[in-house]
Amino acid sequence: MTTPLLPIVGPDAPAPRSIIRIQKARVKNQQLTCEFTEQRTDDAPPRAFTLAAQEQVHPDLLHWLAQLVPHLCLLTEQLTETPTYWPDDDTGTLPPHFEAFTLTGFSVGNGGRGVTLIGQRQLAGGKVLNLTSPYVSFDDEQPAYAYAGLLEAALDAALAEVEAALRGKCTEYRQLDLFEPTTEPSAALIPLIPVPAHA
């Protein structure tokens, strides 16, 4: 007798959700690639997975990855902090000086107690500069990075969105019709054929 395996990761997971710990996450071409471990319970052994999603990521994940861009720029010494450096607290919209930068992913270390950010800068000549930040530890009493607390909070929000993506949250995709519907759906289309006039 065989017992069917229950889905653990995904929107159909049983009510007591599994424990997911994300190690690496990357978004390329609107698709998530992630390395993570999953446990059914606290005392179960973790199982390691690598997932390459075919669905496009939800805009919420892109929003929270964008909130990590200011930290990437400071950590890689690409920009210096000014009074208008940080995003607006109300909307979370990034100021224009971040337009050339993109956060493509991150790597979590020490069981979630530190992070390395990975991103890109679009150069004026059209080429792309790949950026990798130094590792930032959240455990240090005197952190080397002055905004480690803000970085940890933004990372926690991004991790929550990555976990939601692993459990099935993604952009709904529906193919659009090739042709626009007619304004009068009940009217029959009558082809017009030019007929020469007889005298």
Side-chain angles (χ1 to χ4, degrees), residues 66-87:
Q67 300 308 302
L68 294 168
V69 167
H71 300 284
L72 174 71
C73 293
L74 286 179
L75 289 166
T76 57
E77 299 179 358
Q78 295 295 304
L79 296 175
T80 55
E81 187 179 12
T82 63
T84 59
Y85 180 81
W86 294 97

Side-chain angles (χ1 to χ4, degrees), residues 172-195:
E172 294 210 12
Y173 174 77
R174 182 177 69 83
Q175 176 130 3
L176 300 177
D177 294 331
L178 183 59
F179 301 103
E180 293 180 19
T182 59
T183 55
E184 299 176 17
S186 61
L189 296 176
I190 302 171
L192 296 176
I193 302 170
V195 178

Side-chain angles (χ1 to χ4, degrees), residues 75 92-93 111 147 159 164:
L75 289 166
T93 305
Y147 301 104
L159 286 169

